[in-house]
Amino acid sequence: MRTRVVDGVDTLKALAHPLRITALAELRRTGPSTASELARALGESSGSLSYHLRQLERYGFVTDDVARDARERRWRATAQLTELPASLSNTAEGRAAMAVVRGVQQEHLAHQLAALDTVKSDEHPDLGHSDYLLRLDDDQLTELVGRLSEVVHEYLDHRGERLVALHVLALPGAP
C-alpha cells in the first residue's frame, strides 16, 4: 500500500499524537526498526515507543516487518503516505485531532526549512520553496490537488541519493 487514507475520526484520533506521528515519519524515513532503535533515534523511552507503536498497529499504520529477527520485533510503516481528507474536520473531535496533526507538521516543516539554510544553492539549485496564490473554483481545486498527487505518486518508487520532504498545502488565501 502506498497511500493510507484515514477514513474516520477514530483512526485520526489514534494517529493524532506527536510521538506517533513522529515515529511513523521515522519508520518511513529510515525503514523497519525496533522500538528500542526508534526510542534512541527520537530520544524517548522504548516502553513509551512500544505502547505507541501498538496503537499505530491497531489502526493499521504499522505492522511487523516480514524480515524480522525472531528475538526482537521490528516495525515498518504500512504506507509511504498518509492522506487526511478535509471531511475529518467536520466534527469538534476531528478538528481537535487535526490541530494536533497540524502542530506536529508545523514543527517538522520548521526543522526542514531551517535545514534548507545549510544547503548550498549552487550544489542543489532545485531545493527551495515557492508559493502561489491562485483563483480557483471547487472543481479546479479538486483537479489541481489530484494532478499534484498523481505526480508525487509517480516518484514514490524512485530511490535517488537525496531524501526530499515535499509539502503540498492547499490553504485558503488571506482575506
Side-chain angles (χ1 to χ4, degrees):
M1 180 188 320
R2 301 170 100 182
T3 302
R4 170 67 194 279
V5 178
V6 175
D7 56 2
V9 173
D10 287 340
T11 304
L12 174 62
K13 288 176 7 186
L15 176 65
H17 185 283
L19 186 52
R20 291 179 195 160
I21 296 168
T22 302
L24 181 58
E26 184 71 7
L27 286 172
R28 289 176 175 161
R29 188 177 74 78
T30 62
S33 299
T34 65
S36 296
E37 290 166 343
L38 274 175
R40 282 190 297 277
L42 301 178
E44 295 288 335
S45 74
S46 60
S48 176
L49 253 298
S50 291
Y51 169 78
H52 288 293
L53 288 167
R54 286 190 304 275
Q55 293 304 307
L56 288 170
E57 178 187 40
R58 181 175 173 202
Y59 287 89
F61 291 99
V62 301
T63 190
D64 280 329
D65 183 40
V66 178
R68 75 180 183 123
D69 181 324
R71 293 176 297 132
E72 53 187 4
R73 187 173 193 181
R74 297 188 71 76
W75 299 91
R76 68 171 176 79
T78 58
Q80 292 170 286
L81 307 171
T82 301
E83 190 174 306
L84 303 171
S87 61
L88 293 171
S89 294
N90 289 344
T91 66
E93 282 183 313
R95 284 189 296 279
M98 286 297 287
V100 171
V101 172
R102 276 194 306 275
V104 174
Q105 289 173 329
Q106 287 172 335
E107 289 177 23
H108 291 178
L109 181 58
H111 291 328
Q112 291 159 343
L113 286 171
L116 186 59
D117 291 338
T118 66
V119 174
K120 295 180 181 175
S121 63
D122 57 333
E123 292 177 10
H124 304 287
D126 294 323
L127 289 179
H129 64 273
S130 301
D131 64 75
Y132 308 94
L133 188 59
L134 307 171
R135 291 197 177 275
L136 304 173
D137 62 29
D138 289 343
D139 290 341
Q140 291 168 327
L141 177 58
T142 299
E143 178 188 355
L144 176 60
V145 170
R147 288 175 61 196
L148 290 171
S149 181
E150 287 174 12
V151 170
V152 169
H153 279 84
E154 289 175 22
Y155 288 85
L156 283 179
D157 294 328
H158 291 223
R159 295 290 172 237
E161 59 190 49
R162 177 171 289 284
L163 181 63
V164 176
L166 178 67
H167 296 264
V168 178
L169 302 169
L171 305 171

